[in-house]
Amino acid sequence: MATIEERPLDIDKLHGFVFKAVEEVGATLNTALVVMGDRLGLYRAMAGAGPITPAELADRTDTAERYVREWLNAQAAGGYVEYDPETGRYTLPPEQAVALTQEDSPAYLPGFFQIALGSVHDSPNIVEAARSGQGVGWHEHVHDVHEGCERFFRPGYNANLISAWLPALDGVIEKLESGARVADVGCGHGASTILMAQAFPNSQFVGFDYHREGIETARGRAEEAGVASRATFDAVPAAAYPGEAYDLVTMFDCLHDMGDPVGAARHVRQSLAEDGTWLIVEPFAGDRIEDNLNPVGRAYYSFSTLLCTPASLSQEVGLALGAQAGEARIRDVAERGGFTRFRRAAETPFNLVFEARP
Ligand SMILES: C[S@@+](CC[C@H](N)C(=O)[O-])C[C@H]1O[C@@H](n2cnc3c(N)ncnc32)[C@H](O)[C@@H]1O
C-alpha cells in the first residue's frame, strides 16, 4: 500500500503562503479595477492632473463619487495611485500615467488587463473542457479577449517590429522597401499588418485569420489607418490561405494557438517564394519548464491554460504546443514543415523572434 510521507508543518511558511494569497486575490480583483479605470477614463483624467479628490475625479469623468472613492482606495492600497492623508487627495504618478494611459508607449498595460479579465470571465468553460478534454476555440471567447489581445500586443509591435524585428531578417527590409508581397497569418485585428503597411507603402499586405469577426474588425482598422488599399484581409485558416510566391509570411503570437502548426508550416513553405522568409514571433520561453518558472512564464502559462491550449485543442490535430513552447519545439515545427534554415533572429523579455527559410 502506498504511504504518504508526512513532513512537519512549518507554520511560518504556511503564514507566508496565506499572506501571499491575500496579495494575489487583491491583484486578481485589481484586474477588473484597471479595466474599470480604463473604461471610465479615470486614469486619463488623473494623468498630469496633480492631486485630486474623489469628488473632482467623479465630476471630471461623469461618474458616481462613492464608486470613485472606493476605487481610488483600492488603487492606493495596490500602489497604483498615491494618497495624501493630509489633504485627502490622490495622485497618479507619472510612471503609472504612462503605463496606464499612453497607448503608444511600449509599457502600455490596459490591454494586458483586458485580455486577462476576458480569460478569467471565460474560465468556467475551461473547467468543463478540462474534464472532457475538448477544446475551446479563439472565436468562442468574449470580446475582451479579442480586443484585449490587440491592445496588449500592439505596443510591443509598435516598439519592435519595424525598428528591430524586420531588420533582423536577412534581406527583408530591402524587399519591403522596393515592393514585396506579404501574408500576415493569424493576424487577429490586424495590428501587425497595418503597422507594416504604414511603414512600407510599396508593398502589398494581406492578413489571414480563421476568426471572421476579427477579420471584419481588421478591415475597419485598416480603413481608419488609411491603408485599406494595401492591407486587405480574408477569413481563412492558416493551412488554406490563398496566394503563392510571397516574399514574407509572418505569424505573430499565433502559431502555438493553431491545432496543426506543422500543417500550417507546410502551407507557408509552399506559399513562399524560393528565397522567401517566414517570420515567427512567439512568447518568450526557455525549452525546459524550469526555465519558465518566473513572472513572465507564470503569466504565459496561465494564458496558455485558459486560451492557447484550448484554442489548439479545438482544431484538427490539436498539437497544443502551449504559449511556452520554446525554441526547440518551434524549430521542430518549422523543420517538419519543410524549412531547412531556422534561427533566432531577435528577442525581447516577452518575445522570441525566429526566421525560417526554405
Ligand atoms: C493570440 S491571437 C494573436 C492575434 C494577432 N496575431 C496579434 O498579434 O494581435 C491568436 C490568433 O490566431 C488565430 N488563429 C488560431 N488558429 C488559427 C488557424 N488555424 N488559422 C488562422 N488563424 C488562427 C486566432 O483567431 C487569433 O486571432
Side-chain angles (χ1 to χ4, degrees), residues 293-330:
L293 303 183
N294 52 57
V296 173
R298 184 189 190 192
Y300 280 140
Y301 275 129
S302 303
F303 279 125
S304 189
T305 309
L306 296 173
L307 297 177
C308 315
T309 302
S312 178
L313 289 174
S314 75
Q315 300 180 17
E316 269 178 43
V317 181
L319 187 63
L321 285 172
Q324 291 289 267
E327 179 166 348
R329 265 168 291 240
I330 302 297

Side-chain angles (χ1 to χ4, degrees), residues 239-305:
Y241 62 84
E244 54 189 22
Y246 288 106
D247 300 293
L248 175 66
V249 174
T250 55
M251 284 192 194
F252 294 92
D253 289 293
C254 61
L255 181 64
H256 65 271
D257 292 305
M258 295 176 188
D260 184 11
V262 175
R266 266 191 220 109
H267 190 71
V268 175
R269 172 70 187 83
Q270 73 166 54
S271 77
L272 267 184
E274 255 329 290
D275 65 343
T277 301
W278 181 22
L279 166 66
I280 308 151
V281 175
E282 278 286 299
F284 189 93
D287 290 328
R288 302 169 310 168
I289 292 168
E290 56 269 37
D291 299 332
N292 306 320
L293 303 183
N294 52 57
V296 173
R298 184 189 190 192
Y300 280 140
Y301 275 129
S302 303
F303 279 125
S304 189
T305 309

